[in-house]
Amino acid sequence: MPVDDPYLIRPAPGVYAYVQPDGGRRLDNAGFVSDGRRTLLVGTAAAERRAPALREAAAAAGVPLPRPVA
Protein backbone atom coordinates (compact mmCIF):
# COMPACT_ATOMS: atom_id res chain seq x y z
CA MET A 1 0.00 0.00 0.00
CA PRO A 2 1.45 3.40 -0.94
CA VAL A 3 2.05 5.73 1.99
CA ASP A 4 -0.56 8.16 0.63
CA ASP A 5 -3.43 5.66 0.73
CA PRO A 6 -5.87 5.76 3.66
CA TYR A 7 -6.12 2.56 5.69
CA LEU A 8 -8.02 1.00 8.60
CA ILE A 9 -6.74 0.22 12.06
CA ARG A 10 -8.85 -2.05 14.28
CA PRO A 11 -8.00 -1.04 17.88
CA ALA A 12 -10.75 -3.25 19.38
CA PRO A 13 -13.33 -5.73 18.10
CA GLY A 14 -15.92 -3.85 16.05
CA VAL A 15 -14.00 -0.55 16.23
CA TYR A 16 -12.27 0.80 13.13
CA ALA A 17 -10.16 3.94 12.77
CA TYR A 18 -9.86 5.30 9.23
CA VAL A 19 -6.36 6.77 8.94
CA GLN A 20 -5.78 9.36 6.24
CA PRO A 21 -2.07 10.12 5.86
CA ASP A 22 -1.18 13.80 5.77
CA GLY A 23 -1.59 15.17 2.32
CA GLY A 24 -2.57 18.74 2.92
CA ARG A 25 -5.91 20.31 3.66
CA ARG A 26 -9.23 18.78 4.70
CA LEU A 27 -8.14 15.67 6.51
CA ASP A 28 -10.65 14.57 9.09
CA ASN A 29 -10.76 12.02 11.83
CA ALA A 30 -13.11 9.25 10.82
CA GLY A 31 -13.98 5.71 11.72
CA PHE A 32 -16.85 3.39 12.42
CA VAL A 33 -18.18 1.06 15.09
CA SER A 34 -20.19 -2.05 14.29
CA ASP A 35 -21.90 -4.79 16.25
CA GLY A 36 -22.28 -6.85 13.06
CA ARG A 37 -25.91 -5.81 12.58
CA ARG A 38 -25.59 -2.03 12.43
CA THR A 39 -22.73 0.35 11.84
CA LEU A 40 -22.24 3.84 13.23
CA LEU A 41 -20.01 6.16 11.22
CA VAL A 42 -18.04 8.58 13.40
CA GLY A 43 -16.83 11.67 11.60
CA THR A 44 -16.68 12.08 7.85
CA ALA A 45 -14.26 12.21 4.98
CA ALA A 46 -14.85 15.76 3.80
CA ALA A 47 -13.14 15.72 0.43
CA GLU A 48 -15.26 14.46 -2.44
CA ARG A 49 -12.81 11.70 -3.39
CA ARG A 50 -12.28 10.57 0.22
CA ALA A 51 -15.93 9.92 1.12
CA PRO A 52 -16.34 7.00 -1.34
CA ALA A 53 -13.01 5.58 -0.12
CA LEU A 54 -14.32 5.57 3.46
CA ARG A 55 -17.45 3.75 2.29
CA GLU A 56 -15.31 1.21 0.41
CA ALA A 57 -13.19 0.66 3.53
CA ALA A 58 -16.31 -0.10 5.58
CA ALA A 59 -17.55 -2.51 2.91
CA ALA A 60 -14.14 -4.21 2.78
CA ALA A 61 -14.20 -4.63 6.57
CA GLY A 62 -17.32 -6.76 6.13
CA VAL A 63 -19.62 -4.65 8.28
CA PRO A 64 -23.09 -3.43 7.25
CA LEU A 65 -22.85 -0.05 5.57
CA PRO A 66 -24.11 2.87 7.64
CA ARG A 67 -27.51 4.30 6.67
CA PRO A 68 -28.07 8.04 6.46
CA VAL A 69 -30.54 9.51 8.93
CA ALA A 70 -32.62 12.59 8.37
Side-chain angles (χ1 to χ4, degrees), residues 10-16 33-34:
R10 191 172 175 196
V15 178
Y16 300 82
V33 179
S34 181

Side-chain angles (χ1 to χ4, degrees), residues 13-16 32-40 63-64:
V15 178
Y16 300 82
F32 48 94
V33 179
S34 181
D35 65 2
R37 294 174 299 159
R38 294 177 293 187
T39 301
L40 171 67
V63 300

Side-chain angles (χ1 to χ4, degrees), residues 10-26:
R10 191 172 175 196
V15 178
Y16 300 82
Y18 186 69
V19 179
Q20 303 175 76
D22 187 14
R25 299 174 48 186
R26 299 196 60 111

Side-chain angles (χ1 to χ4, degrees), residues 36-67:
R37 294 174 299 159
R38 294 177 293 187
T39 301
L40 171 67
L41 178 67
V42 180
T44 60
E48 186 175 348
R49 69 180 178 87
R50 291 184 185 267
L54 174 55
R55 180 180 175 87
E56 290 171 16
V63 300
L65 292 176
R67 294 180 299 152

